[in-house]
Structures are given as structure tokens and as C-alpha cells.
Amino acid sequence: MSASDTPFSTRAVAMIVVAGVVAFAAFLLLIAFAPDFRSGHDARAHALSTSGTGYAGLVRLTDAMGSHSLIVRDDQHICTATMLVVTPEAYGDPAALSRLVDRHCRGAMLIMLPKWRTQPLREHSSWAQTIGMDSPAANVMALRKIAPAIALEQTPFAGTPRLWPADIPRLARARIGPQKEQQRLTGSGFTPLLLDRDGRVVLGRIMGTRIYVLAEPDLLNNQGMADPWTARQGWQVVDDLMTSNELAFDLTTNGFGQQKSPLQLLFKPPFLPVTLCIAAAGLLAGLHGAFRFGAPAGQGRAIALGKRTLVDNAAQLFRAARKEHRVGAAYAALTRDLTAQATAAPARLSGEALDHYLDHAGRHAGDEPYATLAWHAETAEDRDQLLGAARALYRWRRNRTR
């Protein structure tokens, strides 16, 4: 087939190869980093959720009010001086919040306890359908490690509740949107900061710490942000607790932390230069294989012609039959004939007379007689003995023809 008969042009093949390389690199990047950039629209209660129980509205409100929102997915940004908003889930790992408190070196922490049991809608996976309220024991489970004496109380309520300040002056007699059920703090080990009109604690601070616990998540979740009055009062609570112009939202306790993937090490310092060098080496190797350098080497015959080929074939047959040692006598006779020819031995000599003549021609000290060397070659029993006898015969011949 000639070059003009190929189904693809050089340009088309190059484009296919480049597209394949780019697609493979993109595939590796997606495998490595896709889990860290999930949308979070899963109808759960966290900062990425747009459902009624989520807190995406609070994130948008933070930016709209001139503050800066920070979504925290790894331990690097946990140790920060800003206030960290944590949204633990019911029936979660109680030790997860304790580890988070240990890693949060400075600044305040606002823990918004869970309240509702939900499930995503089949038609809209980012929407939540409320099934009921989780049990108080499950909702307060996250606090067991850091504040074991805190408990929750759930009571039905119909109407418009009002918040009374215990330590937040700007919320004097502030009303919030209607709520069907309320969740309040009980027990001990905390300082009340915000009360409802019945004197029950909505917001408290764990004693000896800068950790705040909000028992009523409907004050700040998307359901609460939908009501103007509730959104205003909820933001006043957050703004009063903030120590800087930045509000961080933790996602590690909700399962959105960055995964420790070995594949990510290939695309991050200090291993990124090594990856680039390997990619460049692969590119150069591909270019080297794509273009021919010099004329193509000619192909010889599979079976060469001539006497040497016959000798090689005969030698291979002897080797295959394991009969190399049987050629010792022939080699000894050939050595004698070549030596006689090289030394111009008299033609009338033969047999033992020729052997005696050659032994004395160019004799060296320590040389064995030809008859002894020939006997060793004839009686060799394996290849190693034959090689030893052949070397001795070669030295004998070289000493006389030098």
C-alpha cells in the first residue's frame, strides 16, 4: 500500500493522538480531584445544600452583606482566626466534632445542631422532603465529647415566636418567622445568650470556650432565610458573634473533605515537576517513534548462502545431538596437515615420521608431543575436555608456524 492509499492523513492522525492524550490527562485529573468539587446539592444540612434544611442561603447572605465567606474542605484552613460555622449531622461520628475543635486553633466556632429528618425528592435530588424531627439524643450526639451535660428539648409551637437577648443587645424582643416545632437547649455546662419568650435557650456558649451552640437551625437555614424577619434576626446573631469580616463554613464533618489520594500527589508540588518531566519524555519518545531518522535498514536473507552456512549448520547439528566431542580426531588431523603445509614439511613424510618431524620443528620447552595431544582430543568425553585439547593443539601449531 502506498502513502497515497492510507485511509488517514498525517494531520488527522496527529489530531487523533493529541485528542487522545488530552482526554486521558483530563480523565486522570477528574479521577484525582472530582471528589473534592462535588456540588453538594444532596438535600442535606450543610453549607452547599440548597434544600430547605441547607445553609447555602447563609453563604450568599454573608457575601451580600459585605463579608467574605470561606468554604473549608481541608485541615489547612481549619486553624484560622475567623469564626467557623459547623453543621454536624444526626447519627454522625461524635469524635469528628471533637477532632475539629482540636484542629481549630483560634477564633470562635458556631455549631448549628441538626433538627429535621429529611429525604431528597425523586424528581429534584437537591430538594428535601421533611419526614419529621430527629430525636433530641441524636441531634445532640455531636456534642457528647465536648459538652456532655448539654441536652435538647423539642416542643410544638404555633404562632410567631420572639427572641429575648441574654447577652446580645441588638435582638431585643425581635420576632422571627412562624415555626411549627421548636428545639431548645437544656441541661448545664453552657451560658445562655439568646432566649425565646418562654425563657428557653436558643443559643448558648460552652463554658470556658468560644464555642457557640445554636439549638434552632431554622433561624439560619434556607427555610429561615426565606422569611425576611427571620433572615434579619439570624444575620444579627451571626454578625454579633463574628470577630472579623470573614465567615468560614466547615464541610469536613459532612463528608466533603479533600480525599488523601495518591493520584493527587502527581499533580501537586513537590511531585508536579517529576510528572511534567515524565510527560515531556513520553512526548519526545512519541516524536522519535513517529518520524524515521535515516534510510531503513535492508533485510538480509533468512538463511545465508556459502560454505560458512554449511559449517554453522553442521556445528548446530553436532551441538543439538551433544556429539561435539566426537570431532576431536578430525580436528587433530586438520591441525597436523595445516602445520605441515605451513612449515613446508617434506612430502615423503607421513604417519609417525611426520609427527616426529613436526614435534622438533620450532619446538618450545614444555611442549607435549603431537601424539599425546591428538590422543587427548580423540578420547575427549564431553565438550569441556574437547575445548581443552583443542586449545593445546592450537598452541602446538602456533609455536611451529609463528
Side-chain angles (χ1 to χ4, degrees), residues 4-37:
S4 59
D5 297 332
T6 56
F8 298 102
S9 64
T10 304
R11 182 179 179 181
V13 172
M15 293 178 62
I16 292 174
V17 172
V18 171
V21 171
V22 173
F24 181 70
F27 177 70
L28 290 180
L29 288 172
L30 287 176
I31 292 178
F33 295 100
D36 297 339
F37 295 97

Side-chain angles (χ1 to χ4, degrees), residues 86-100:
V86 186
T87 55
E89 301 182 21
Y91 303 101
D93 182 11
L97 184 60
S98 177
R99 292 192 297 266
L100 183 64

Side-chain angles (χ1 to χ4, degrees), residues 42-305:
D42 51 8
R44 292 159 57 196
H46 51 76
L48 299 180
S49 176
T50 57
S51 65
T53 57
Y55 297 93
L58 179 59
V59 177
R60 296 180 58 183
L61 180 61
T62 301
D63 296 329
M65 296 300 294
S67 299
H68 175 63
S69 62
L70 175 64
I71 303 298
V72 177
R73 292 175 178 264
D74 54 16
D75 297 344
Q76 181 179 0
H77 297 91
I78 291 294
C79 190
T80 175
T82 187
M83 187 172 74
L84 182 67
V85 178
V86 186
T87 55
E89 301 182 21
Y91 303 101
D93 182 11
L97 184 60
S98 177
R99 292 192 297 266
L100 183 64
V101 172
D102 296 336
R103 295 196 303 267
H104 187 53
C105 307
R106 303 179 305 275
M109 179 182 295
L110 176 60
I111 302 174
M112 294 188 282
L113 296 179
K115 177 180 177 181
W116 300 106
R117 186 190 308 120
T118 62
Q119 67 180 10
L121 294 177
R122 182 175 302 177
E123 298 81 6
H124 301 279
S125 59
S126 61
W127 294 5
Q129 178 182 4
T130 301
I131 301 176
M133 297 179 66
D134 275 316
S135 66
N139 293 340
V140 80
M141 184 182 298
L143 298 177
R144 290 305 181 201
K145 293 288 185 179
I146 59 175
I150 294 181
L152 288 179
E153 178 187 13
Q154 296 175 347
T155 57
F157 185 85
T160 304
R162 293 179 178 274
L163 301 179
W164 296 72
D167 195 24
I168 302 180
R170 290 187 295 172
L171 289 180
R173 300 177 182 271
R175 69 185 182 90
I176 61 176
Q179 295 176 309
K180 296 181 180 180
E181 293 88 9
Q182 300 180 65
Q183 186 169 260
R184 301 296 184 258
L185 291 177
T186 60
S188 60
F190 63 91
T191 302
L193 299 181
L194 191 63
L195 312 176
D196 64 5
R197 66 178 181 180
D198 296 328
R200 291 172 295 188
V201 182
V202 178
L203 176 68
R205 181 177 63 189
I206 299 178
M207 293 182 178
T209 67
R210 298 182 62 189
I211 301 176
Y212 305 93
V213 180
L214 180 65
E216 184 53 72
D218 290 343
L219 185 63
L220 292 172
N221 59 18
N222 297 333
Q223 177 180 336
M225 294 292 106
D227 180 73
W229 283 99
T230 307
R232 183 179 295 109
Q233 308 312 321
W235 176 252
Q236 286 187 5
V237 172
V238 174
D239 186 57
D240 192 79
L241 298 178
M242 289 174 60
T243 56
S244 65
N245 199 37
E246 185 177 67
L247 188 62
F249 294 87
D250 170 69
L251 292 179
T252 60
T253 56
N254 304 104
F256 290 93
Q258 291 186 350
Q259 304 295 324
K260 301 297 183 181
S261 172
L263 188 59
Q264 291 185 1
L265 298 178
L266 299 178
F267 303 100
K268 291 181 178 181
F271 297 102
L272 180 59
V274 178
T275 304
L276 295 178
C277 290
I278 294 175
L283 177 62
L284 293 177
L287 292 176
H288 181 79
F291 301 99
R292 175 178 293 164
F293 295 89
Q299 295 183 355
R301 292 178 56 89
I303 301 177
L305 300 177

Side-chain angles (χ1 to χ4, degrees), residues 315-353:
Q316 291 178 6
L317 289 175
F318 276 105
R319 186 179 299 111
R322 300 179 183 274
K323 300 296 183 180
E324 299 101 322
H325 60 282
R326 297 293 182 88
V327 300
Y331 181 76
L334 177 63
T335 301
R336 182 182 60 179
D337 293 342
L338 292 176
T339 306
Q341 182 180 358
T343 58
R348 58 182 176 80
L349 298 178
S350 63
E352 294 181 0

